[in-house]
Amino acid sequence: MDATFPRARKNQLGYKTAEVEDFLQRARRAYDGRPSSGDEALDAERIRLTAFSMQKGGYSTAHVDAALERLEDAFAFRERQIASRLHGDEAWLTEARTTAQVIANRLARPERARFDRVSKLAVGYDVHEVDAFADKLTRYFRDGWPIAIEDVRSVVFSAQRGGYREAQVDLVLDAVVDVMLAVR
């Protein structure tokens, strides 16, 4: 039987193959407009938030992640087409502009205070690294400087005691991806 994706080596962790295959079947049914009665609703945001368990010799994480990004793009494109038909392009773009403004306001906060901080005993994202990336995003929104959606999806920050609250930073990054997909 051919595998959908290359596998990690037998002694290395990869995504649990059964979970990936099940998700791909649900995604195919959702995209085709034929979900099963027990299927959870699926959209671009849900795809972005999808996570799989790990297993030795599972599917290559890099290959599955790349496929999920393409799947997210396809769902976002279709969602935009549907919204455009229902409400017009201007309504879709107005929503994207509103979200972009909320993001820009967050990123305009002073350095070292753009996001909530965790306690000095807890670990969060490195403040300096997040602020540096936030500056790149500010230039993207304010000046139109190029930044690839893949750069936003794949950014990784070091850990720091007393750093920025991870969940808050991740939500803003997800919103940036939403805006970038909306204006493609």
Side-chain angles (χ1 to χ4, degrees):
M1 180 170 116
D2 290 335
T4 305
F5 298 101
R7 290 184 178 258
R9 293 183 183 163
K10 289 183 181 184
N11 61 345
Q12 292 180 331
L13 291 175
Y15 290 135
K16 195 168 189 176
T17 58
E19 288 180 16
V20 172
E21 293 294 342
D22 179 60
F23 178 80
L24 291 176
Q25 288 176 2
R26 286 185 292 131
R28 185 173 293 120
R29 289 191 301 265
Y31 193 81
D32 292 343
R34 296 180 287 117
S36 293
S37 60
D39 286 352
E40 178 182 330
L42 198 57
D43 59 13
E45 180 182 16
R46 182 73 204 125
I47 292 168
R48 185 178 329 115
L49 300 175
T50 296
F52 302 109
S53 303
M54 305 295 278
Q55 74 179 59
K56 287 188 177 184
Y59 283 146
S60 160
T61 57
H63 287 89
V64 173
D65 289 346
L68 287 177
E69 289 172 5
R70 291 189 302 273
L71 191 59
E72 178 187 0
D73 289 347
F75 270 74
F77 180 75
R78 188 183 68 177
E79 290 163 20
R80 179 179 178 168
Q81 286 181 317
I82 292 169
S84 185
R85 279 195 304 268
L86 293 174
H87 308 289
D89 281 336
E90 191 54 40
W92 177 265
L93 291 174
T94 298
E95 183 178 337
R97 276 189 220 106
T98 301
T99 303
Q101 187 60 57
V102 170
I103 295 166
N105 293 345
R106 164 69 65 176
L107 300 179
R109 292 178 178 184
E111 285 188 12
R112 306 188 61 77
R114 289 183 172 139
F115 299 94
D116 292 341
R117 305 282 283 270
V118 296
S119 78
K120 299 248 185 240
L121 300 175
V123 176
Y125 285 145
D126 183 279
V127 172
H128 177 72
E129 291 177 7
V130 172
D131 281 345
F133 194 74
D135 290 340
K136 290 179 182 180
L137 292 174
T138 297
R139 288 191 298 275
Y140 167 79
F141 285 110
R142 185 187 62 213
D143 304 326
W145 281 46
I147 187 167
I149 194 169
E150 290 76 24
D151 294 337
V152 179
R153 285 176 169 153
S154 64
V155 68
V156 177
F157 304 111
S158 301
Q160 173 188 354
R161 289 205 183 278
Y164 282 140
R165 187 170 307 283
E166 294 176 6
Q168 194 177 41
V169 173
D170 290 344
L171 282 172
V172 169
L173 293 175
D174 284 346
V176 169
V177 170
D178 285 340
V179 169
M180 294 175 92
L181 287 171
V183 299
R184 265 192 173 178

